[in-house]
Amino acid sequence: MSHPIIETLLQHKGEYVSGERLSQELGVSRTAIWKQIKKLEAAGYRFEASRKLGYRLVGEPPAKLQLGEIVNQLKIYPFVKAVKLFDSVQSTQNIAQQLAEDDAPEGTIILAEEQTNGRGRRGRIFLSPAGSSVSMSIVLRPDLPLQFAPQLTLLAAVALCRGLRELTGLDIGIKWPNDLQVDGKKISGILMESTAENERIRYVIAGIGIGVNLLEEDYPAEMRNIATSLRIAKGEEIDRLAVIVSFIKHFTELYPLYLREGFGPIISLWESMAVMLHKKVKLSTSAGIVEGVPIGLCESGALLVKKADGSTESVFSAESLLSAQETPDIRS
Ligand code: BTN
């Protein structure tokens, strides 16, 4: 990434450049410079800042993903048909969708260093700063009825959880339906967007976002209690390429298994990694609040919640109002 602040600081390597001088040279306010510095920090650049002297670039520039290396590592997986890497995009989902409409085959993978408008579920923005996150969208073309699409979300969560556990050794769990958590905070989100014809899936874009090397200060203050990165949890920098490969490795094992044997094996795996099971939850659904204890998944991908009156309710989509971390496992 060539950024005017980086270029200016590189011209004065090792020296401080005042905020005032940067703002004059770049023709923007000092506040704008400070905001850009924060963005660059999130992208992996490191600065020393002094009230009197200004800013100085320290350490190595962040390592960028290299298409050649990615292709080299992914070529052993026959599922992977094409890999495209972008510097900065609004959302990898949009690009994958366009490619799918243009007949891109299943196994087309879109990656971006940065998303300026990363999409989360329920219309939320997903934070994907340059250099420190993984933003990936994959074209899938399973020959399945549309109603099976939620199963793919859960399958992707299982593959990602397995991959990241194997890579980092961290105690990562799945918060229903498909957020990955560590230390009670979100590290990853999955967004599946399906297009159908006559109630059968035409294609699904599997969007995976992972906070890999973000530091505490890279998150807006209001997110610090709810989101974290692999680097914060592990206490060391994590190789983003290894993160990508770890997901693809497990996804390409589980996806054919699912297409062959159905959702049964995935349910068991998902349940073994879920953080919410057997703990009291309070869920906000479109039909109102559901309180109870999740006891498993059903074939449809819905969460089965046992309520105080002994009845069970299938919840398809909800927001958790009471997190699993706040409540003990009621079996113990
Ligand atoms: C969520 O947590 O609500 C889902 C987040 C999904 C984010 C990923 S990042 C790659 C892909 N591109 C997007 O715009 N969103 C998904």
Side-chain angles (χ1 to χ4, degrees):
M1 177 172 49
S2 169
H3 190 287
I5 293 184
I6 298 299
E7 279 168 20
T8 309
L9 292 180
L10 279 174
Q11 282 162 15
H12 302 273
K13 221 172 169 191
E15 296 166 22
Y16 281 95
V17 178
S18 71
E20 197 178 333
R21 182 161 168 197
L22 283 172
S23 78
Q24 272 168 7
E25 285 192 14
L26 274 59
V28 294
S29 69
R30 288 185 66 170
T31 316
I33 295 289
W34 180 81
K35 281 189 184 157
Q36 285 301 310
I37 293 277
K38 290 285 142 205
K39 252 187 126 177
L40 287 163
E41 278 177 341
Y45 288 95
R46 297 292 161 238
F47 302 92
E48 264 169 17
S50 149
R51 222 173 245 284
K52 275 194 194 147
L53 303 171
Y55 301 98
R56 182 165 79 157
L57 201 51
V58 289
E60 293 298 312
K64 283 181 74 169
L65 290 169
Q66 300 296 330
L67 184 62
E69 283 178 16
I70 302 170
V71 171
N72 209 21
Q73 298 243 359
L74 294 184
K75 68 180 180 212
I76 58 166
Y77 303 103
F79 167 84
V80 178
K81 295 295 182 305
V83 184
K84 293 186 189 297
L85 172 65
F86 295 84
D87 232 19
S88 178
V89 297
Q90 283 197 343
S91 161
T92 51
Q93 292 293 95
N94 300 350
I95 298 195
Q97 193 158 12
Q98 192 51 58
L99 289 169
E101 285 296 337
D102 294 343
D103 291 333
E106 172 166 273
T108 300
I109 301 180
I110 312 302
L111 291 156
E113 280 287 351
E114 174 191 44
Q115 296 188 116
T116 53
N117 199 10
R119 287 207 298 279
R121 294 189 310 128
R122 298 168 173 255
R124 292 195 181 121
I125 297 284
F126 191 83
L127 189 68
S128 322
S132 50
S133 47
V134 163
S135 304
M136 169 165 55
S137 295
I138 306 174
V139 178
L140 302 176
R141 294 187 181 277
D143 183 15
L144 292 172
L146 179 61
Q147 79 218 42
F148 284 28
Q151 298 181 344
L152 292 166
T153 316
L154 300 156
L155 159 64
V158 169
L160 188 58
C161 192
R162 280 186 136 187
L164 294 182
R165 278 183 179 185
E166 189 177 274
L167 179 71
T168 64
L170 290 167
D171 185 18
I172 297 170
I174 306 172
K175 182 176 168 209
W176 181 81
N178 51 8
D179 279 355
L180 259 56
Q181 283 196 337
V182 67
D183 301 330
K185 296 180 186 176
K186 175 166 171 164
I187 43 156
S188 163
I190 297 171
L191 176 70
M192 292 277 177
E193 295 180 313
S194 314
T195 304
E197 204 171 277
N198 299 327
E199 291 303 304
R200 288 198 80 81
I201 292 175
R202 269 183 64 220
Y203 62 81
V204 175
I205 307 298
I208 290 118
I210 311 161
V212 182
N213 284 320
L214 284 89
L215 299 173
E216 198 80 37
E217 58 267 30
D218 297 334
Y219 292 93
E222 67 278 9
M223 278 179 72
R224 286 183 197 156
N225 283 335
I226 51 173
T228 191
S229 72
L230 293 172
R231 178 181 182 159
I232 296 170
K234 181 81 181 160
E236 64 190 53
E237 199 162 327
I238 307 285
D239 179 9
R240 287 184 300 149
L241 175 55
V243 168
I244 295 165
V245 175
S246 72
F247 170 73
I248 296 295
K249 175 184 165 197
H250 287 277
F251 187 78
T252 55
E253 256 172 49
L254 293 174
Y255 183 57
L257 173 77
Y258 164 75
L259 295 178
R260 234 180 19 248
E261 294 182 23
F263 195 41
I266 308 301
I267 292 187
S268 318
L269 289 169
W270 189 94
E271 287 179 351
S272 71
M273 296 171 180
V275 295
M276 270 166 117
L277 291 189
H278 312 294
K279 294 172 181 175
K280 278 190 186 162
V281 292
K282 191 170 176 182
L283 302 168
S284 164
T285 75
S286 53
I289 304 281
V290 176
E291 278 187 84
V293 176
I295 50 171
L297 276 187
C298 29
E299 274 285 322
S300 60
L303 189 68
L304 270 182
V305 180
K306 190 162 186 185
K307 298 197 285 191
D309 63 6
S311 65
T312 50
E313 183 159 341
S314 308
V315 179
F316 286 88
S317 175
E319 282 292 292
S320 174
L321 300 175
L322 182 61
S323 80
Q325 283 62 45
E326 294 164 37
T327 63
D329 189 323
I330 54 131
R331 292 175 303 176
S332 50

